[in-house]
Structure formats: C-alpha cells, structure tokens
Amino acid sequence: MTATLKHGRTLIWVAALAATGAGMYYWGRRSSAETPPPALAASAGEAAPSKAGAAPAASAAIARYDAGTARPLPPIDSPLRLVLPELQRRAASEPAAACRLAAEMEYCDSLRMRLAGAENNLDMFERQLERMPQDTAPQREQRQRMAESYQTMTDRLLTQSEHCAQVPPISAEQRAAYWRRAALAGQPAAMRHYASGNAFRYQELLDNLPGLATYRGEAESIARTAAQRGDARMLASLAYAYSPQRDGMRRGFLGQVVRPNAVESLALFLQLRDGLPAQDGDGPEAAPGGPGARGPRGGRFNSREMLDAQIRALTRDLSPEQVSQARERAAERAQSWSTPTAPAPPAPPGGAPSNAPPMFLMQGGFVPDVQRQECEGAG
C-alpha cells in the first residue's frame, strides 16, 4: 500500500466515525417529526371504484406555498451541525425548513453509504494496482495516474463528508415525516419528492411500513395538486403512472398507488406536450451542436417526439369517443391549470448550470431527487 492510499484509508475511517459518533441529542423528544400532520382523505380513486376513464379529483387540502414571504434558510454550505438545531426548530412551522432538513439528512445518508463502501473499494483498487505491470516507464506512469485519480475522488468525498460531521442519522420514518410535513404545507419541491415516492428508499422499506401506508392514501392527491400548480415533472409522472402500458417498465411508488386510466393518461400527455415551450422540440437545444442531451447513437433526445410516441400508443388502444374525451379534458385544463414548467436541475453551490434539457428527465415518469438548495425556492 502506498503512503498516499494509506493516508486516505485513515481519513475515511476518521470521517465515518465523526459522522456517527456525536450529536444524538439533536433527535430527542423535541423532533418535529414526532407529531406528523394528519393524513389527507383518500382520493376519489381510493375511496370508491370510479367510472372507467373518469378524472380523479385533486385534493384541496394542500395550502399554497409563498416562497416570497418565507424567511431565508441558513446558507447551504454551513456545516450541518451548526444549523441543525435551527432547522429542527423551524421545521415544525416552516415548510422550507422541513424540506431542507429532510434533504440534508438524505444528503448525509448518501455520503455515509459512500464512505462505508470506500474501504472495500480501496482494497479492490490496491489489488488492481498490484497486478498492473510496472516494467516500463509508461506503465509506471499509468499506475501513478490511476492512484492519483483515486486519491482525488477520495479527497472529494472526504471534503463533502465534513458537512455532515458530528451529525448522526435519523430514522427512515422521521426523514419521510419531514418530507411529508413540507409537502402537505405546499412546498413545491417537497410535494414532488414525496408524491413521487422518492422520500422512501428501497433499502429502508420495512423500516417505514406505517409511513408507506399513509403515503398510499395521499400520494395521488398530492401529485395531482402539484401537477395542477404547474409541476411538469409531476404531470409526466402521473401520465406514465396512469398509463396501462406502465407494466412494461419498472413501476415507481406512484405507479403502484394509482389505478390505470388510459383516458386520464392520454389527457395528461396531451396537456404536457401542448404546454412544452417551442424551443424544447425545435430550438437550439434540440438542434445538432446544441446543448441538448445526446442519445445512444449520437442523436439528440427530443421530448416532444417522446411524448408523441406515448400519445400515439394510447390513441391506438382507445375508442374515438375516449380520445375525444381526453382531448376535451386536456383543453379544459390548459385554461384552468397552471402552465407546466420544469426548471433545469439546480447547479451545485459554485458550479455551472446543467445544459441537459429538463424535459428529458421525465422519460418513463422519472423524477430526480430534490436537492438541498431547491427547498428555498418556489419549486
């Protein structure tokens, strides 16, 4: 083992211990997740069997969040141990603080998982270096470059983990309760994260069965309210969830909650396509040489074409009357719902904004995780 890698191993263990060894008093009896808000009433689709193709009703129980009147949150780069008591105190009454606290704990959990795997990765990397030939100068240079590259990645992980030092993890149930609290208070980013099911991690499902039961009864209402307020990602996620063709793909949590409804799915896809800005399909982002994402063969992903494919497939399987019903529903919502918008993924602190077209992220109904800095904005 080189001296550089040995130093990296020591730092990894120190960081892992610091991340879990202190600060348990933060999660005592005063945790705001101990008394979660009451559950929403079940949506129309859950309360009773609905007529085929009928549009589920959105819940009116979710308040509208006004980001303009919210108090600023602590700076995103502040060490979490220094701002955690404030966030925990404010999370009881401020949706943005509850969202930020949940996002911070998810961020730290992710770092802990990466730290836990770093030790095994280091062992495998050392064995790989030992097997590499060192007979020539180019071979030795390649070996050195690999060691330096791994050390750079380790240093980056250790630097990031300093943000979570001395802050222990909380339970999956507590973390989901913070997401839910912010979602029910109308915080847009939290509504998207919770309704999509991102607040629940597959490796923790059995740790939070009561929370999943509550989620099952209210996810559809929250998702529809978010879509009605202009969240294009939730609009797309619902469209895929309602589609009878969803069984051909891996279903997320929202897709397991709602009942298939081809008319509603078509209406949502039509509404989403018609609400797309022109440049998404025709402008410089989609043109050769533009900043749009590349497909597997070097072409450009085109969100409008992707939506058109879904619309054609659903139209083919529906009667003319059902297609007409879906079109009428989409046209009515274009007047009564907010125009769907999908902001670009936020850049990391100090980083450059992403050039990837945000609409492409919705393929298959995928909803990206909410980042910590999204909790303070309007969503």
Side-chain angles (χ1 to χ4, degrees):
M1 182 191 305
T2 66
T4 299
L5 294 179
K6 183 181 293 185
H7 178 64
R9 182 192 296 275
T10 301
L11 290 178
I12 289 172
W13 277 108
V14 170
L17 290 172
T20 58
M24 290 300 292
Y25 67 90
Y26 288 134
W27 308 114
R29 292 183 177 180
R30 297 182 62 187
S31 171
S32 61
E34 293 290 327
T35 309
L40 290 175
S43 66
E46 289 288 327
S50 57
K51 184 178 180 180
S59 170
I62 302 175
R64 280 196 174 271
Y65 174 72
D66 185 358
T69 61
R71 287 195 296 159
L73 295 175
I76 200 74
D77 55 355
S78 299
L80 184 54
R81 67 182 182 277
L82 300 182
V83 300
L84 184 56
E86 176 187 353
L87 289 176
Q88 188 181 24
R89 182 178 63 255
R90 293 174 58 181
S93 58
E94 298 181 37
C99 173
R100 170 73 175 277
L101 184 53
E104 289 281 9
M105 299 316 297
E106 276 191 2
Y107 176 73
C108 291
D109 280 351
S110 173
L111 287 173
R112 290 186 185 97
M113 291 178 63
R114 293 162 61 191
L115 281 169
E119 180 73 9
N120 290 335
N121 292 339
L122 186 56
D123 288 337
M124 290 186 291
F125 183 71
E126 288 171 354
R127 289 193 293 271
Q128 182 181 1
L129 286 183
E130 291 171 357
R131 291 192 296 266
M132 289 183 64
Q134 305 180 56
D135 300 329
T136 65
Q139 290 173 341
R140 290 190 292 273
E141 291 175 1
Q142 181 184 11
R143 186 177 185 275
Q144 181 63 27
R145 284 195 300 270
M146 289 182 62
E148 291 174 353
S149 176
Y150 189 87
Q151 186 63 47
T152 298
M153 291 188 293
T154 301
D155 290 343
R156 185 181 303 116
L157 175 58
L158 292 170
T159 299
Q160 292 172 339
S161 69
E162 292 174 0
H163 178 76
C164 303
Q166 301 178 37
V167 177
I170 62 174
S171 69
E173 185 176 6
Q174 284 178 304
R175 191 175 64 245
Y178 281 120
W179 281 122
R180 178 174 176 266
R181 179 181 295 277
L184 294 184
Q187 207 288 330
M191 290 177 71
R192 180 169 64 250
H193 196 80
Y194 181 76
S196 67
N198 288 356
F200 302 92
R201 301 305 190 187
Y202 284 98
Q203 68 270 20
E204 300 172 332
L205 292 186
L206 296 182
D207 297 331
N208 195 12
L209 292 179
L212 280 168
T214 301
Y215 166 83
R216 184 176 185 180
E218 60 192 12
E220 185 176 13
S221 283
I222 296 175
R224 291 186 65 82
T225 301
Q228 184 176 353
R229 294 176 182 177
D231 191 320
R233 286 175 179 162
M234 285 303 346
L235 193 65
S237 188
L238 277 169
Y240 278 103
Y242 285 125
S243 174
Q245 302 175 20
R246 65 186 186 176
D247 293 330
M249 62 185 76
R250 180 179 178 181
R251 284 193 297 155
F253 287 107
L254 184 59
Q256 298 174 52
V257 166
V258 306
R259 298 177 179 179
N261 187 330
V263 174
E264 181 67 3
S265 178
L266 177 57
L268 292 171
F269 276 124
L270 287 168
Q271 183 183 353
L272 183 62
R273 184 199 62 182
D274 294 343
L276 284 178
Q279 64 268 23
D280 186 71
D282 308 317
E285 289 81 0
R294 289 191 176 276
R297 297 184 180 180
R300 299 280 170 182
F301 284 111
N302 187 302
S303 301
R304 194 177 299 276
E305 290 179 0
M306 177 267 292
L307 294 174
D308 282 338
Q310 295 295 323
I311 291 170
R312 285 193 299 270
L314 288 164
T315 301
R316 185 172 56 245
D317 296 336
L318 291 173
S319 68
E321 293 77 10
Q322 289 174 313
V323 173
S324 177
Q325 181 185 0
R327 293 188 184 281
E328 291 174 0
R329 194 177 295 176
E332 187 279 327
R333 289 176 184 163
Q335 303 300 318
S336 60
W337 288 23
S338 298
T339 302
T341 57
S354 171
N355 284 328
M359 303 303 285
F360 165 67
L361 298 176
M362 299 183 301
Q363 186 173 13
F366 168 72
V367 177
D369 279 347
V370 166
Q371 302 301 305
R372 296 174 296 147
Q373 55 268 37
E374 291 183 82
C375 289
E376 197 162 6

PDB file of all heavy atoms in Angstrom, residues 273-289:
ATOM      1  N   ARG A 273     -47.566  17.826 -23.644  1.00  0.00           N
ATOM      2  CA  ARG A 273     -46.973  18.140 -24.948  1.00  0.00           C
ATOM      3  C   ARG A 273     -47.351  19.536 -25.409  1.00  0.00           C
ATOM      4  O   ARG A 273     -46.512  20.301 -25.894  1.00  0.00           O
ATOM      5  CB  ARG A 273     -47.430  17.112 -25.983  1.00  0.00           C
ATOM      6  CG  ARG A 273     -46.789  17.301 -27.358  1.00  0.00           C
ATOM      7  CD  ARG A 273     -47.557  16.605 -28.436  1.00  0.00           C
ATOM      8  NE  ARG A 273     -48.921  17.134 -28.558  1.00  0.00           N
ATOM      9  CZ  ARG A 273     -49.823  16.656 -29.407  1.00  0.00           C
ATOM     10  NH1 ARG A 273     -49.516  15.634 -30.188  1.00  0.00           N
ATOM     11  NH2 ARG A 273     -51.035  17.184 -29.460  1.00  0.00           N
ATOM     12  N   ASP A 274     -48.631  19.885 -25.280  1.00  0.00           N
ATOM     13  CA  ASP A 274     -49.083  21.187 -25.750  1.00  0.00           C
ATOM     14  C   ASP A 274     -48.529  22.328 -24.893  1.00  0.00           C
ATOM     15  O   ASP A 274     -48.490  23.477 -25.345  1.00  0.00           O
ATOM     16  CB  ASP A 274     -50.614  21.246 -25.745  1.00  0.00           C
ATOM     17  CG  ASP A 274     -51.223  20.279 -26.753  1.00  0.00           C
ATOM     18  OD1 ASP A 274     -50.492  19.825 -27.651  1.00  0.00           O
ATOM     19  OD2 ASP A 274     -52.424  19.963 -26.614  1.00  0.00           O
ATOM     20  N   GLY A 275     -48.112  22.013 -23.668  1.00  0.00           N
ATOM     21  CA  GLY A 275     -47.554  23.039 -22.799  1.00  0.00           C
ATOM     22  C   GLY A 275     -46.057  23.211 -22.921  1.00  0.00           C
ATOM     23  O   GLY A 275     -45.473  24.097 -22.296  1.00  0.00           O
ATOM     24  N   LEU A 276     -45.414  22.349 -23.746  1.00  0.00           N
ATOM     25  CA  LEU A 276     -43.964  22.456 -23.912  1.00  0.00           C
ATOM     26  C   LEU A 276     -43.595  23.745 -24.635  1.00  0.00           C
ATOM     27  O   LEU A 276     -44.272  24.135 -25.590  1.00  0.00           O
ATOM     28  CB  LEU A 276     -43.428  21.278 -24.723  1.00  0.00           C
ATOM     29  CG  LEU A 276     -43.306  19.931 -24.027  1.00  0.00           C
ATOM     30  CD1 LEU A 276     -42.798  18.900 -25.026  1.00  0.00           C
ATOM     31  CD2 LEU A 276     -42.356  20.019 -22.853  1.00  0.00           C
ATOM     32  N   PRO A 277     -42.537  24.400 -24.217  1.00  0.00           N
ATOM     33  CA  PRO A 277     -42.059  25.553 -24.987  1.00  0.00           C
ATOM     34  C   PRO A 277     -41.549  25.109 -26.342  1.00  0.00           C
ATOM     35  O   PRO A 277     -41.054  23.999 -26.503  1.00  0.00           O
ATOM     36  CB  PRO A 277     -40.928  26.122 -24.113  1.00  0.00           C
ATOM     37  CG  PRO A 277     -40.478  24.951 -23.273  1.00  0.00           C
ATOM     38  CD  PRO A 277     -41.706  24.122 -23.038  1.00  0.00           C
ATOM     39  N   ALA A 278     -41.679  25.980 -27.319  1.00  0.00           N
ATOM     40  CA  ALA A 278     -41.317  25.614 -28.689  1.00  0.00           C
ATOM     41  C   ALA A 278     -39.867  25.180 -28.803  1.00  0.00           C
ATOM     42  O   ALA A 278     -39.541  24.270 -29.545  1.00  0.00           O
ATOM     43  CB  ALA A 278     -41.594  26.795 -29.623  1.00  0.00           C
ATOM     44  N   GLN A 279     -38.971  25.824 -28.046  1.00  0.00           N
ATOM     45  CA  GLN A 279     -37.553  25.523 -28.205  1.00  0.00           C
ATOM     46  C   GLN A 279     -37.196  24.118 -27.732  1.00  0.00           C
ATOM     47  O   GLN A 279     -36.168  23.579 -28.087  1.00  0.00           O
ATOM     48  CB  GLN A 279     -36.671  26.524 -27.457  1.00  0.00           C
ATOM     49  CG  GLN A 279     -36.834  26.530 -25.950  1.00  0.00           C
ATOM     50  CD  GLN A 279     -37.869  27.528 -25.502  1.00  0.00           C
ATOM     51  OE1 GLN A 279     -38.754  27.894 -26.296  1.00  0.00           O
ATOM     52  NE2 GLN A 279     -37.776  28.008 -24.279  1.00  0.00           N
ATOM     53  N   ASP A 280     -38.089  23.487 -26.938  1.00  0.00           N
ATOM     54  CA  ASP A 280     -37.770  22.141 -26.482  1.00  0.00           C
ATOM     55  C   ASP A 280     -37.728  21.161 -27.635  1.00  0.00           C
ATOM     56  O   ASP A 280     -36.963  20.220 -27.644  1.00  0.00           O
ATOM     57  CB  ASP A 280     -38.813  21.676 -25.455  1.00  0.00           C
ATOM     58  CG  ASP A 280     -38.434  20.340 -24.841  1.00  0.00           C
ATOM     59  OD1 ASP A 280     -37.476  20.306 -24.048  1.00  0.00           O
ATOM     60  OD2 ASP A 280     -39.084  19.342 -25.184  1.00  0.00           O
ATOM     61  N   GLY A 281     -38.567  21.386 -28.635  1.00  0.00           N
ATOM     62  CA  GLY A 281     -38.558  20.479 -29.762  1.00  0.00           C
ATOM     63  C   GLY A 281     -37.911  21.058 -30.994  1.00  0.00           C
ATOM     64  O   GLY A 281     -37.507  20.330 -31.874  1.00  0.00           O
ATOM     65  N   ASP A 282     -37.864  22.391 -31.100  1.00  0.00           N
ATOM     66  CA  ASP A 282     -37.449  22.999 -32.362  1.00  0.00           C
ATOM     67  C   ASP A 282     -36.257  23.940 -32.253  1.00  0.00           C
ATOM     68  O   ASP A 282     -35.722  24.372 -33.255  1.00  0.00           O
ATOM     69  CB  ASP A 282     -38.626  23.791 -32.948  1.00  0.00           C
ATOM     70  CG  ASP A 282     -39.890  22.932 -33.039  1.00  0.00           C
ATOM     71  OD1 ASP A 282     -39.750  21.775 -33.454  1.00  0.00           O
ATOM     72  OD2 ASP A 282     -40.967  23.420 -32.685  1.00  0.00           O
ATOM     73  N   GLY A 283     -35.875  24.312 -31.061  1.00  0.00           N
ATOM     74  CA  GLY A 283     -34.887  25.354 -30.894  1.00  0.00           C
ATOM     75  C   GLY A 283     -33.474  24.845 -30.837  1.00  0.00           C
ATOM     76  O   GLY A 283     -33.182  23.692 -31.148  1.00  0.00           O
ATOM     77  N   PRO A 284     -32.545  25.695 -30.398  1.00  0.00           N
ATOM     78  CA  PRO A 284     -31.122  25.353 -30.412  1.00  0.00           C
ATOM     79  C   PRO A 284     -30.785  24.199 -29.492  1.00  0.00           C
ATOM     80  O   PRO A 284     -29.826  23.485 -29.734  1.00  0.00           O
ATOM     81  CB  PRO A 284     -30.451  26.653 -29.949  1.00  0.00           C
ATOM     82  CG  PRO A 284     -31.519  27.415 -29.214  1.00  0.00           C
ATOM     83  CD  PRO A 284     -32.792  27.063 -29.908  1.00  0.00           C
ATOM     84  N   GLU A 285     -31.578  23.998 -28.420  1.00  0.00           N
ATOM     85  CA  GLU A 285     -31.244  22.893 -27.515  1.00  0.00           C
ATOM     86  C   GLU A 285     -31.376  21.550 -28.209  1.00  0.00           C
ATOM     87  O   GLU A 285     -30.693  20.594 -27.879  1.00  0.00           O
ATOM     88  CB  GLU A 285     -32.165  22.923 -26.281  1.00  0.00           C
ATOM     89  CG  GLU A 285     -31.881  24.070 -25.327  1.00  0.00           C
ATOM     90  CD  GLU A 285     -32.520  25.372 -25.783  1.00  0.00           C
ATOM     91  OE1 GLU A 285     -33.187  25.376 -26.841  1.00  0.00           O
ATOM     92  OE2 GLU A 285     -32.350  26.378 -25.085  1.00  0.00           O
ATOM     93  N   ALA A 286     -32.319  21.467 -29.174  1.00  0.00           N
ATOM     94  CA  ALA A 286     -32.545  20.194 -29.844  1.00  0.00           C
ATOM     95  C   ALA A 286     -31.784  20.094 -31.162  1.00  0.00           C
ATOM     96  O   ALA A 286     -31.730  19.035 -31.773  1.00  0.00           O
ATOM     97  CB  ALA A 286     -34.045  20.011 -30.112  1.00  0.00           C
ATOM     98  N   ALA A 287     -31.204  21.176 -31.623  1.00  0.00           N
ATOM     99  CA  ALA A 287     -30.516  21.181 -32.911  1.00  0.00           C
ATOM    100  C   ALA A 287     -29.144  20.529 -32.796  1.00  0.00           C
ATOM    101  O   ALA A 287     -28.541  20.488 -31.733  1.00  0.00           O
ATOM    102  CB  ALA A 287     -30.359  22.619 -33.399  1.00  0.00           C
ATOM    103  N   PRO A 288     -28.644  19.975 -33.908  1.00  0.00           N
ATOM    104  CA  PRO A 288     -27.283  19.429 -33.897  1.00  0.00           C
ATOM    105  C   PRO A 288     -26.289  20.480 -33.423  1.00  0.00           C
ATOM    106  O   PRO A 288     -26.314  21.621 -33.883  1.00  0.00           O
ATOM    107  CB  PRO A 288     -27.060  19.034 -35.363  1.00  0.00           C
ATOM    108  CG  PRO A 288     -28.444  18.828 -35.923  1.00  0.00           C
ATOM    109  CD  PRO A 288     -29.309  19.817 -35.218  1.00  0.00           C
ATOM    110  N   GLY A 289     -25.443  20.094 -32.510  1.00  0.00           N
ATOM    111  CA  GLY A 289     -24.478  21.010 -31.960  1.00  0.00           C
ATOM    112  C   GLY A 289     -24.995  21.817 -30.802  1.00  0.00           C
ATOM    113  O   GLY A 289     -24.253  22.549 -30.172  1.00  0.00           O
TER     114      GLY A 289
END
